[in-house]
Amino acid sequence: MKKILYGILLLNFAYACAPKTGDNLSNTEPSATEKPISSSLDLTNVNNDRIWVEIDPGSFSQDTVIFRLPRVVQGTYDVSDFGSFVDDFVAYDYSGAPIAYKKIDTNSWAIPNARQFDKLGYYVNDTFDIENTDAETPFSPSGTNIDSTNYVLNLHGFIGYFDGMYESDYSIDITAPADFKKSSALSLIGTTTSEDGSSVTDTYYADRYFEVTDNPMMYGNLEIVEFPVGDINIVLSMYSPTGAHTAEQQKETLETMMDAQKRYLGDLNSTPRYDVFLYLATRGENEPTGMGALEHHRSTVVVLPEFYPEEALDEVMTDVVSHEFFHIVTPLSVHSEDVHYFDYDQPTFSKHLWMYEGVTEYFASHFQVYEGIQSRQDFYDKIMEKIQTSLTLDDEMSFTEMSENILEEPYASNYYNVYQKGALIGMCIDILMREESGGERSMLSLMKELSAKYGMDKPFVDNDIIEEITEMTYPSVGEFLQTHVVGNTPINYEDFLVKVGLEFGERMGESTFFHSGQAFYVASTQDGNIYFRDDMDLNTSHIELGIQGGDVIKSINGTDYTIDNINDLIPQTLQWAPEQEIEMVVIRDGEEVEISGVVGTPMVKKPGIVESEDATDAQKQLRDQWLGTN
Ligand SMILES: [Zn+2]
């Protein structure tokens, strides 16, 4: 589809090239196809929380040009409408006078007198500021921040493209206060300092629009650390508004994780430099609320809550950044034509999110146990959680159908399943591959074969890849894909767990003090009291403290609680450490009972995945091949 569109545009272009008599070609600028598109962002002149952007292409010989900001960016599977953040759009002719333009839709502007058109400019509002409102905003890691101390420059939020000119190269000037720190993986071709020394202009180069969108930057009060992991240079650029976390601490987490990832990936080709841009969000009014990360070929932008305690931040960084780094395999090295010839305005979507997101998420979980940085039981628990979460989504929805129609309902609201059932699909294929090959092949070895066959510059045909995988592997893998990925038959996970000597059972798992899936208490709307439930097992901390089902909470650590203020307490309890002292007064049978002690680590019996006691040696051997012996 993209190819056809491109062909039509070329035809129009050829037609428009025929000179018309009476045309006033009042410029001597090289044509837009010969000159890079010059773009500039000025961070020294922020106007009402907006940045002025200018875009200056070469000259055009057709009647009309269309300029757009992306409606959709790659990797997000959602509509972003970056055009809706643009104000005061103006197009200039070669004499510097404004000329007419027409706004076609949220993201597009048509300039009818293209032969007179020299350049355009506009203000850009940031997306982080309004995430707290009801407005639709792009996912934070693809969004933008304009703040005196920090700029998140996802360039697709600032710089647009002219229709049919995705392949044009760009020069990008960023002017910023001279004392700003900055980080970008894009090649820097020059820096100039203003006469009074107060500002600096960095000039970067991108050889096509994709490069503009694939290379985010950060400017401002950053902490930047660089360190090698094998032959990759990792650059961590981090913004922690209150300084609660440091780049040094995060460096350790990333080193351990990426070192294990490098071992896991083995000889798979990798980039010489990888950038991690980490924005830690406070709970302030103009702060982003969508947490997570977005992958790029040589970097990732990560947005996480700053209030996370160190240990929780380390854990989520490991899960999130390892996922983004594994995207180097897919979709970055293995992808279909829809991804390769991505249309930022009217994209078509590949059928294979099970691979791009699912297999990536599976790798991000599996490498941790395989390389010995996580215990087997923790891995089983994660799989169990993914099974349970996937069952709250539509388990009978064809994954390929969902993928191809991901912007529309009912598919869009099931997108989250790519991280749940998508990862489980990866797990099932991994187990099948290992079983069929006697432990020789795996999900990873299959992805390596596909990456050798295709790679970054050669897309596969979307409709052919399942058949191709079937030919490359085993009939059982083909049947699995047809039945559970193309088809809508739910997966019976037990069938796969049994191959590796695992089964569903019950195990003790951590809960929080007041919740384990459901709350341990009931807030009565009749009398306003908070009761510990007597119709479910309380957790081990409750039992050790001597709390009983039916007890009414009167006070905790000196504060009285009822239905009116119990919600003030719950968030605090999530941060309780095991040694936290607690003094509670409960009412039991009409009498006040004082309870005191430490919170401890609340545990509760949960459904889980456990190792079968009667697993055979063959099952155990396959389990070892699957999970590694590190
Ligand atoms: Zn992803």
Side-chain angles (χ1 to χ4, degrees):
M1 191 176 179
K2 178 67 177 73
K3 274 182 179 166
I4 293 163
L5 256 181
Y6 192 60
I8 291 168
L9 283 169
L10 279 180
L11 278 179
N12 280 343
F13 193 73
Y15 172 74
C17 267
K20 290 178 189 168
T21 45
D23 264 349
N24 178 16
L25 293 166
S26 58
N27 76 87
T28 53
E29 198 177 34
S31 83
T33 52
E34 290 162 10
K35 177 187 170 289
I37 295 171
S38 306
S39 54
S40 63
L41 274 67
D42 188 352
L43 315 186
T44 61
N45 248 326
V46 175
N47 169 300
N48 201 8
D49 206 27
R50 304 174 303 174
I51 287 178
W52 182 251
V53 177
E54 281 194 2
I55 308 284
D56 184 357
S59 62
F60 291 96
S61 49
Q62 68 263 48
D63 289 335
T64 299
V65 290
I66 294 173
F67 177 78
R68 300 184 203 268
L69 266 90
R71 176 171 159 263
V72 180
V73 293
Q74 277 182 295
T76 57
Y77 310 103
D78 203 359
V79 173
S80 293
D81 277 340
F82 281 103
S84 66
F85 295 89
V86 166
D87 281 347
D88 299 353
F89 186 95
V90 54
Y92 301 97
D93 69 11
Y94 283 97
S95 72
I99 51 170
Y101 68 85
K102 187 167 178 277
K103 182 119 194 248
I104 312 173
D105 59 39
T106 309
N107 302 295
S108 318
W109 294 260
I111 299 150
N113 287 312
R115 265 164 276 201
Q116 267 95 54
F117 165 59
D118 177 21
K119 63 175 184 180
L120 53 86
Y122 46 85
Y123 279 113
V124 174
N125 287 288
D126 64 339
T127 70
F128 280 13
D129 277 5
I130 59 160
E131 277 196 45
N132 256 337
T133 69
D134 291 338
E136 291 276 327
T137 50
F139 181 44
S140 319
S142 68
T144 56
N145 190 35
I146 300 173
D147 187 277
S148 57
T149 53
N150 174 275
Y151 292 80
V152 175
L153 305 179
N154 269 305
L155 294 175
H156 52 231
F158 297 96
I159 299 172
Y161 59 93
F162 294 95
D163 250 12
M165 290 175 61
Y166 283 147
E167 297 305 316
S168 294
D169 43 356
Y170 281 74
S171 72
I172 302 159
D173 282 355
I174 313 250
T175 303
D179 59 349
F180 268 18
K181 290 197 180 142
K182 57 198 107 177
S183 201
S184 164
L186 211 53
S187 37
L188 185 68
I189 49 175
T191 294
T192 53
T193 306
S194 65
E195 255 171 47
D196 64 358
S198 66
S199 68
V200 166
T201 299
D202 300 314
T203 303
Y204 300 91
Y205 173 80
D207 69 4
R208 56 192 181 116
Y209 187 63
F210 172 75
E211 290 286 323
V212 174
T213 68
D214 196 40
N215 286 287
M217 302 178 174
M218 247 182 173
Y219 272 68
N221 276 350
L222 310 177
E223 255 200 288
I224 303 172
V225 291
E226 287 192 43
F227 53 95
V229 173
D231 49 5
I232 311 184
N233 193 35
I234 309 291
V235 183
L236 166 66
S237 310
M238 168 170 155
Y239 178 64
S240 174
T242 71
H245 297 280
T246 68
E248 268 315 308
Q249 293 163 340
Q250 287 313 306
K251 175 188 158 186
E252 259 176 62
T253 309
L254 290 180
E255 256 177 337
T256 310
M257 173 195 99
M258 286 180 151
D259 191 55
Q261 284 189 283
K262 282 284 288 173
R263 270 183 279 137
Y264 186 79
L265 287 172
D267 54 3
L268 204 77
N269 269 352
S270 58
T271 159
R273 167 176 167 151
Y274 191 82
D275 277 77
V276 178
F277 300 95
L278 173 60
Y279 182 99
L280 294 175
T282 65
R283 283 182 270 204
E285 215 176 282
N286 296 330
E287 288 289 290
T289 52
M291 300 295 143
L294 182 64
E295 77 274 17
H296 299 285
H297 277 85
R298 292 177 295 267
S299 63
T300 178
V301 178
V302 188
V303 179
L304 291 173
E306 195 190 38
F307 69 83
Y308 270 17
E310 185 61 34
E311 204 185 318
L313 184 65
D314 290 350
E315 200 178 308
V316 71
M317 276 288 282
T318 302
D319 281 348
V320 167
V321 181
S322 67
H323 173 105
E324 302 311 324
F325 188 71
F326 277 128
H327 272 311
I328 287 178
V329 183
T330 190
L332 303 180
S333 292
V334 182
H335 55 245
S336 77
E337 292 165 323
D338 308 75
V339 177
H340 201 76
Y341 303 107
F342 188 76
D343 185 316
Y344 294 85
D345 195 52
Q346 299 296 329
T348 58
F349 287 93
S350 165
K351 294 189 169 83
H352 304 295
L353 271 173
W354 68 272
M355 181 196 284
Y356 311 138
E357 291 300 339
V359 170
T360 299
E361 176 67 7
Y362 173 65
F363 286 160
S365 297
H366 181 251
F367 93 99
Q368 296 186 45
V369 61
Y370 193 84
E371 295 299 335
I373 61 173
Q374 187 184 52
S375 74
R376 286 188 176 186
Q377 190 58 57
D378 284 351
F379 176 72
Y380 302 152
D381 290 350
K382 200 182 271 180
I383 295 298
M384 187 67 191
E385 212 180 292
K386 288 193 185 297
I387 292 173
Q388 286 172 325
T389 311
S390 79
L391 297 180
T392 65
L393 294 151
D394 187 349
D395 200 30
E396 291 185 7
M397 180 177 279
S398 154
F399 241 69
T400 49
E401 195 177 312
M402 168 173 88
S403 203
E404 201 174 23
N405 301 289
I406 196 65
L407 295 189
E408 282 131 48
E409 289 303 343
Y411 311 103
S413 50
N414 278 277
Y415 173 74
Y416 192 57
N417 221 3
V418 301
Y419 305 110
Q420 315 301 327
K421 191 172 179 180
L424 298 167
I425 288 168
M427 175 188 81
C428 293
I429 298 175
D430 196 19
I431 293 174
L432 276 177
M433 290 288 291
R434 290 173 197 270
E435 183 189 39
E436 293 276 13
S437 67
E440 292 297 310
R441 296 175 77 190
S442 64
M443 187 73 242
L444 181 61
S445 76
L446 170 62
M447 290 312 296
K448 282 185 181 185
E449 287 172 48
L450 285 169
S451 155
K453 187 167 179 184
Y454 291 101
M456 204 180 281
D457 302 318
K458 189 178 167 199
F460 61 73
V461 177
D462 210 58
N463 281 331
D464 295 352
I465 196 67
I466 286 189
E467 212 169 298
E468 222 169 303
I469 289 174
T470 308
E471 277 165 25
M472 289 165 75
T473 60
Y474 308 95
S476 62
V477 172
E479 196 193 311
F480 177 85
L481 286 166
Q482 289 300 348
T483 313
H484 304 295
V485 179
V486 179
N488 55 10
T489 308
I491 301 168
N492 183 359
Y493 296 104
E494 227 162 354
D495 293 346
F496 295 85
L497 295 178
V498 73
K499 292 176 192 291
V500 288
L502 299 178
E503 62 190 28
F504 290 114
E506 271 193 331
R507 61 176 301 272
M508 294 304 283
E510 276 184 40
S511 71
T512 69
F513 193 81
F514 279 117
H515 288 86
S516 169
Q518 49 184 333
F520 291 107
Y521 63 88
V522 182
S524 164
T525 47
Q526 283 170 0
D527 58 17
N529 285 337
I530 312 297
Y531 294 86
F532 278 100
R533 290 176 62 164
D534 56 9
D535 56 350
M536 68 186 275
D537 288 342
L538 297 179
N539 65 41
T540 52
S541 294
H542 299 147
I543 292 160
E544 268 160 46
L545 286 164
I547 296 167
Q548 296 178 9
D551 284 356
V552 175
I553 297 176
K554 181 166 186 290
S555 70
I556 294 178
N557 293 342
T559 306
D560 287 354
Y561 286 101
T562 66
I563 194 167
D564 296 328
N565 63 348
I566 188 70
N567 284 336
D568 301 344
L569 174 70
I570 302 303
Q572 296 170 35
T573 66
L574 300 180
Q575 314 221 13
W576 281 354
E579 55 278 7
Q580 169 77 43
E581 301 267 350
I582 182 171
E583 280 186 20
M584 191 184 297
V585 177
V586 298
I587 299 172
R588 185 182 300 157
D589 305 326
E591 306 272 321
E592 284 193 4
V593 180
E594 282 183 30
I595 282 168
S596 65
V598 294
V599 167
T601 304
M603 304 285 281
V604 70
K605 213 184 258 179
K606 289 179 174 181
I609 293 170
V610 294
E611 298 185 348
S612 316
E613 275 171 22
D614 52 1
T616 65
D617 287 347
Q619 286 169 317
K620 285 183 194 161
Q621 193 190 1
L622 190 60
R623 188 198 299 158
D624 284 346
Q625 283 162 346
W626 173 44
L627 299 180
T629 45
N630 285 305

